[in-house]
Amino acid sequence: MLGNAPEVEIEVVWDGSICPYCGQERLENIPYCKMCSKNMTSFVLAICRDLLYSAGQTKKLDKTAKEDLKTEKEAVQEMELFNVINKFPYNFAARCQRYNKALKSEGVWFAHMVAYRFIDTMRAEKNLSPPMIVCDPMYQIVRDQVYDFLQNPAPDKDECEAFENVYNIPESRDDGAAVIHSMIEELERIKRLTIARSKTKCQGCGKELTTGKTKCDDCLKDEALDNRRSIASGVPAPLTQPQTDGGSVASRPSGMHIHDK
């Protein structure tokens, strides 16, 4: 049993059908476990819906207005998905502070999920099984850190940064933020959420994005690789290339990626 709360019990498994989000046994014909499925369709849905249609971002419409005023519905401007994913933990923390039961059930799951995804990412080369991940000393440190963050009504800048470093890992497609992103996409697929996805451009190469991120996956990979090479060589990686007519240009052509052979 993980966590000290009697309201929730997390059981990771060695093999078989494993939930990619948290390492528990998957449900039949569903790619995730019972706990992730339940949380996705309850509090994750509720928080993301509130964020998507939050005050100051949209005009909230009741069911009658949505049915009768289609033209007004078109004027609704939703919060960008990128911001929903980033703001989700803070709104969830506020929920946990209002309701102790939420902290002892949903909070335990969230702390486990973020820590599990963090260790799985950081130890990817070891290909650890779920029980080995939760036995890693760093897992317990991260899990407790996230759980404490959910209870803190006024985290300072350092505490927020420490949390975000384990929740949102730039070079990872499988961190805690990615799980929330995947859940939002699944809720959209089963028509529990409606998301207006505005197209943006990658800050690195100019490619059009609909993922809510500021950079495409290729740019994130290249950035991580450049950072590793920079650390190895001791020379900072250049961000731009000089040009003769003043100013600077992006180091790669718009929408293209160049990889060494």
Side-chain angles (χ1 to χ4, degrees):
M1 179 173 177
L2 301 177
N4 298 317
E7 291 85 351
V8 62
E9 184 172 352
I10 295 172
E11 296 181 348
V12 296
V13 294
W14 281 99
D15 50 21
S17 299
I18 296 173
C19 175
Y21 297 161
C22 68
Q24 298 186 91
E25 186 175 359
R26 285 170 47 181
L27 292 172
E28 187 176 356
N29 299 324
I30 297 179
Y32 31 81
C33 68
K34 182 178 180 180
M35 188 175 291
C36 287
S37 178
K38 177 184 176 182
N39 287 326
M40 177 182 71
T41 55
S42 57
F43 85 93
V44 173
L45 171 62
I47 291 173
C48 290
R49 181 180 285 155
D50 285 346
L51 283 169
L52 284 166
Y53 303 103
S54 61
Q57 292 291 334
T58 72
K59 188 181 295 182
K60 248 185 175 178
L61 302 176
D62 58 29
K63 290 184 178 180
T64 303
K66 286 184 178 180
E67 292 172 358
D68 297 342
L69 302 176
K70 293 183 179 180
T71 54
E72 188 175 1
K73 184 179 179 182
E74 292 175 358
V76 173
Q77 182 180 1
E78 294 179 338
M79 181 182 288
E80 291 184 4
L81 185 56
F82 178 79
N83 287 325
V84 171
I85 295 168
N86 285 345
K87 290 178 180 294
F88 175 87
Y90 295 90
N91 285 48
F92 177 44
R95 175 189 175 98
C96 289
Q97 291 150 27
R98 288 196 304 270
Y99 308 108
N100 189 56
K101 185 177 180 180
L103 175 67
K104 295 294 181 66
S105 55
E106 300 157 4
V108 170
W109 168 82
F110 184 75
H112 162 73
M113 182 273 291
V114 172
Y116 180 88
R117 295 304 334 141
F118 177 79
I119 299 302
D120 193 44
T121 297
M122 294 297 101
R123 307 281 194 262
E125 72 284 354
K126 295 185 177 180
N127 196 27
L128 299 177
S129 65
M132 294 173 71
I133 289 174
V134 300
C135 288
D136 189 299
M138 184 60 69
Y139 160 82
Q140 298 181 30
I141 293 172
V142 173
R143 185 193 65 187
D144 292 346
Q145 173 189 333
V146 175
Y147 195 72
D148 290 343
F149 171 82
L150 294 177
Q151 300 178 75
N152 190 346
D156 60 29
K157 181 179 178 181
D158 290 340
E159 289 169 325
C160 291
E161 184 176 346
F163 167 77
E164 289 167 3
N165 284 338
V166 298
Y167 171 71
N168 196 345
I169 308 169
E171 63 270 21
S172 173
R173 298 183 183 183
D174 301 311
D175 54 16
V179 170
I180 300 304
H181 189 185
S182 296
M183 287 186 169
I184 291 173
E185 289 186 326
E186 177 63 14
L187 290 167
E188 183 182 24
R189 187 188 70 81
I190 62 177
K191 302 187 185 305
R192 299 293 297 276
L193 276 179
T194 301
I195 301 173
R197 295 173 180 267
S198 58
K199 290 185 177 180
T200 57
K201 289 189 175 181
C202 171
Q203 294 179 359
C205 67
K207 175 183 176 182
E208 281 195 348
L209 301 174
T210 57
T211 59
K213 296 181 180 180
T214 57
K215 292 185 179 181
C216 68
D217 290 337
D218 283 333
C219 277
L220 290 174
K221 284 183 180 178
D222 290 343
E223 187 177 82
L225 179 60
D226 287 344
N227 287 338
R228 287 195 293 270
R229 287 174 174 170
S230 172
I231 293 171
S233 64
V235 179
L239 297 178
T240 59
Q241 293 177 342
Q243 62 178 14
T244 56
D245 57 350
S248 61
V249 297
S251 59
R252 293 184 177 84
S254 177
M256 297 179 65
H257 291 272
I258 302 171
H259 299 281
D260 296 333
K261 293 183 179 180

